Amino acid sequence: MASDGRRQFWKRNTKVPGSLLKEGSKMYTQSKSKRASSFHEFAKSTSDAWDIGDDEEEEFTSFASQSLNSKVAMATAAQVIQNHNKLKDSPGEKMQQSESIDEVKRNGKVVKSNSEVQLSVSSGGSLGRVTLQKQQSLPSRPVIPLVARIADQNASGAPPMTIREKSRHEKFKQLLSSAHTDLEELRKHSWSGVPREVRSVTWRLLSGYLPANMERREITLQRKREEYFGFIEQYYDSRNEEHHQDTYRQIHIDIPRTNPLIPLFQQPSVQEIFERILFIWAIRHPASGYVQGINDLVTPFFVVFLSEHVEEDVENFDVTNLSEAVQRNIEADSFWCMSKLLDGIQDNYTFAQPGIQKKVKALEELISRIDEQVHIHFRKYEVEYLQFAFRWMNNLLMRELPLRCTIRLWDTYQSEPEGFSHFHLYVCAAFLIKWRKEILEEDDFQGLLMLLQNLPTIHWGNEEVGLLLAEAYRLKYMFADAPNHYRR
């Protein structure tokens, strides 16, 4: 149902969300000296952020082919060799390598690691070649890029479960096990993050999907799950009918683009689940139907409810290992919680998307008051807020942040009154001001748009999201109850 006019807002150049574009790349199609005179010109020179084209390898090859400083290369090589020798002398390392090799031999497969490389070291005009010891890796555990890792993490490397977290975990368990859960108290504790072990039931309660009364929860779950699969039997076959083909076709196109770097979402069984969820929602909400971007909003719920049954890394988990009953429960719960979310922001997806238009305008007014210098900088280079903030509102910042950060962000959104519709505005304002230094350093239209559509959040974790939310709360406290403060 998305119009061609809106598709330009999805256009980006890089393949990885949250990665900063480098000028040495082929992707930087115009030199900064040639300023784009309009957003239309800029949009024509970019490609969709989630399309994985055939030229991707060429782009990465262009980085690899750049020459390195010989002194830097020699110093790096020497350091790698020194570290390798230390590891080789470690008995624990030898035992671990031996176990890994034995396990690989039992599987009958040997997969070469990317770290199996040769380093050339020049010394006194002669060429010495040092070969690193070969490392084995299991084929069932592909390496996942940092941007695609779902597990809670802190950028500092601190473990997520501290003494304070343990006490918070106990408090959550007390609240959730009571005969009648105090939802206000649950929101209060969830604002600063929900422990992974209790996140699934907490989200069901905060979204309004589960009742606070303990005795009614199991009955409610059973009834709602049966109701969802009743919709499947009633409506899903109609996807092949002529008046529903356009909707289903668009859903079918968008689902492979959903988190393309995470193997979990490339599994056929998972994509079929997403197709059913999105199609049934679109059929039951004809005022908006399916709009590009809604597909992203399923993923946090799906991951959280899947994590309830998976102890290992979710991003690599094969969903078909779960029983059919568990898969059905995850699917139904994801549908109902996403529906509850969208009920509060449905005007974002009706014709002409008036909700997004209003929120973007409110963001512009807010920035003009809290950081006039940034606002004037945008006006100077003719950057419209709609050109970058449309996606922020349409996808709730999901394409600007790694999924693990989105899950932490939604802990707070579900704790806030109108978190997805109202508090999100202040999060976007805090997110924009976070990059004010980088914004003010850009001196042309194209540079600004490239920055704003490729903000470097790849290494973000719980700490960064916590700081962002704290700043958003400060802005809300200052401006939400005093709207005249940001009106001109």
Side-chain angles (χ1 to χ4, degrees):
M1 189 168 179
S3 64
D4 293 338
R6 282 204 312 277
R7 292 187 180 179
Q8 60 180 325
F9 298 111
W10 296 92
K11 302 211 171 176
R12 294 170 65 187
N13 209 332
T14 58
K15 303 302 189 280
V16 179
S19 61
L20 187 61
L21 189 70
K22 296 184 179 180
E23 296 182 18
S25 167
K26 283 186 177 181
M27 295 181 285
Y28 202 86
T29 54
Q30 298 182 18
S31 66
K32 295 185 71 173
S33 60
K34 297 180 180 179
R35 299 183 179 180
S37 59
S38 68
F39 181 65
H40 178 69
E41 181 181 344
F42 166 78
K44 287 173 64 178
S45 68
T46 60
S47 59
D48 190 274
W50 297 94
D51 285 341
I52 301 181
D54 295 333
D55 60 341
E56 185 176 5
E57 293 184 2
E58 296 179 5
E59 293 163 358
F60 285 105
T61 304
S62 67
F63 287 113
S65 63
Q66 294 178 7
S67 60
L68 295 174
N69 183 289
S70 59
K71 291 183 179 179
V72 174
M74 289 176 61
T76 303
Q79 184 64 43
V80 169
I81 295 166
Q82 182 180 357
N83 293 340
H84 173 69
N85 288 333
K86 289 180 180 179
L87 288 173
K88 189 168 64 175
D89 294 337
S90 172
E93 180 71 16
K94 289 180 180 179
M95 184 178 298
Q96 185 176 2
Q97 288 178 355
S98 176
E99 292 174 354
S100 176
I101 292 171
D102 289 342
E103 187 171 355
V104 173
K105 287 179 178 178
R106 285 195 298 270
N107 291 335
K109 293 182 180 179
V110 176
V111 178
K112 294 184 179 180
S113 168
N114 290 333
S115 60
E116 184 185 327
V117 295
Q118 290 185 332
L119 297 176
S120 299
V121 181
S122 299
S123 177
S126 63
L127 185 66
R129 185 173 297 275
V130 180
T131 305
L132 293 184
Q133 182 178 352
K134 296 182 179 180
Q135 297 180 352
Q136 312 285 354
S137 62
L138 295 178
S140 60
R141 304 292 296 172
V143 176
I144 304 300
L146 179 60
V147 71
R149 292 178 192 162
I150 298 173
D152 294 343
Q153 95 170 31
N154 294 317
S156 65
M161 184 64 80
T162 61
I163 295 176
R164 177 176 175 273
E165 286 297 316
K166 288 180 180 179
S167 64
R168 291 185 69 248
H169 190 194
E170 290 301 317
K171 181 62 178 176
F172 271 96
K173 290 174 70 175
Q174 291 175 12
L175 284 168
L176 297 172
S177 61
S178 61
H180 191 91
T181 300
D182 186 340
L183 294 180
E184 284 303 315
E185 192 71 11
L186 185 62
R187 289 190 183 95
K188 176 183 174 182
H189 285 83
S190 300
W191 203 98
S192 55
V194 181
R196 182 183 186 271
E197 295 78 6
V198 296
R199 182 175 275 138
S200 57
V201 64
T202 301
W203 277 28
R204 290 188 187 102
L205 284 164
L206 294 180
S207 66
Y209 174 44
L210 272 187
N213 188 298
M214 172 74 78
E215 294 181 355
R216 293 176 50 214
R217 289 179 193 170
E218 195 60 37
I219 298 173
T220 301
L221 279 177
Q222 183 178 351
R223 176 173 56 83
K224 298 298 285 185
R225 288 166 178 171
E226 290 175 355
E227 184 179 355
Y228 168 72
F229 283 100
F231 294 151
I232 295 291
E233 293 179 6
Q234 183 178 357
Y235 298 118
Y236 194 57
D237 286 342
S238 68
R239 67 190 185 280
N240 298 318
E241 296 177 5
E242 185 176 354
H243 58 290
H244 289 152
Q245 280 185 354
D246 288 344
T247 297
Y248 181 72
R249 186 183 301 113
Q250 189 60 59
I251 291 172
H252 192 73
I253 291 171
D254 287 349
I255 285 177
R257 300 178 177 182
T258 305
N259 295 291
L261 295 174
I262 302 179
L264 171 69
F265 297 109
Q266 304 310 308
Q267 297 175 31
S269 58
V270 173
Q271 294 186 355
E272 290 170 7
I273 289 173
F274 276 48
E275 281 186 3
R276 289 193 292 268
I277 290 174
L278 294 170
F279 183 77
I280 296 302
W281 188 90
I283 293 298
R284 297 188 70 244
H285 296 80
S288 61
Y290 174 75
V291 178
Q292 283 183 306
I294 294 179
N295 56 306
D296 289 332
L297 304 184
V298 185
T299 56
F301 292 115
F302 183 82
V303 167
V304 167
F305 298 143
L306 176 62
S307 300
E308 191 175 16
H309 306 279
V310 179
E311 294 183 0
E312 56 191 285
D313 295 337
V314 177
E315 56 265 28
N316 283 317
F317 184 75
D318 185 354
V319 173
T320 59
N321 291 333
L322 296 174
S323 67
E324 184 180 352
V326 170
Q327 292 182 50
R328 286 167 63 91
N329 292 344
I330 293 171
E331 178 177 346
D333 293 354
S334 299
F335 169 81
W336 286 116
C337 287
M338 184 199 74
S339 298
K340 291 285 187 182
L341 185 163
L342 289 170
D343 285 347
I345 57 172
Q346 192 169 355
D347 62 342
N348 284 7
Y349 305 105
T350 54
F351 179 73
Q353 300 183 267
I356 291 180
Q357 303 280 349
K358 292 176 183 176
K359 290 181 179 70
V360 171
K361 184 63 178 175
L363 177 65
E364 180 177 358
E365 293 175 347
L366 186 57
I367 296 298
S368 70
R369 299 298 297 173
I370 64 179
D371 199 324
E372 189 176 9
Q373 189 177 4
V374 168
H375 180 70
I376 292 174
H377 194 69
F378 284 155
R379 295 184 66 180
K380 178 180 179 181
Y381 295 106
E382 300 180 347
V383 173
E384 299 290 338
Y385 284 78
L386 199 64
Q387 292 165 353
F388 63 89
F390 178 91
R391 188 174 67 216
W392 295 11
M393 303 300 178
N394 192 63
N395 295 78
L396 301 177
L397 288 176
M398 283 196 63
R399 298 201 177 185
E400 323 311 317
L401 299 172
L403 182 54
R404 61 179 178 272
C405 295
T406 296
I407 291 172
R408 168 62 191 91
L409 191 67
W410 284 22
D411 287 343
T412 300
Y413 279 5
Q414 297 193 83
S415 308
E416 276 279 329
E418 299 181 317
F420 291 98
S421 58
H422 184 63
F423 187 62
H424 180 67
L425 167 66
Y426 299 97
V427 171
C428 288
F431 187 65
L432 182 62
I433 299 305
K434 160 77 177 173
W435 310 103
R436 73 180 310 275
K437 179 177 179 292
E438 290 82 356
I439 288 170
L440 295 175
E441 287 175 352
E442 294 292 341
D443 58 358
D444 66 5
F445 174 87
Q446 179 163 316
L448 282 166
L449 262 293
M450 286 292 188
L451 170 67
L452 291 167
Q453 293 188 343
N454 299 277
L455 292 166
T457 60
I458 187 172
H459 293 285
W460 275 34
N462 290 343
E463 293 176 356
E464 289 77 9
V465 175
L467 292 172
L468 179 69
L469 289 166
E471 177 63 15
Y473 184 82
R474 185 186 72 84
L475 293 175
K476 179 192 172 188
Y477 183 82
M478 291 175 61
F479 295 105
D481 296 325
N484 288 332
H485 287 183
Y486 64 85
R487 285 179 185 165
R488 297 177 193 173

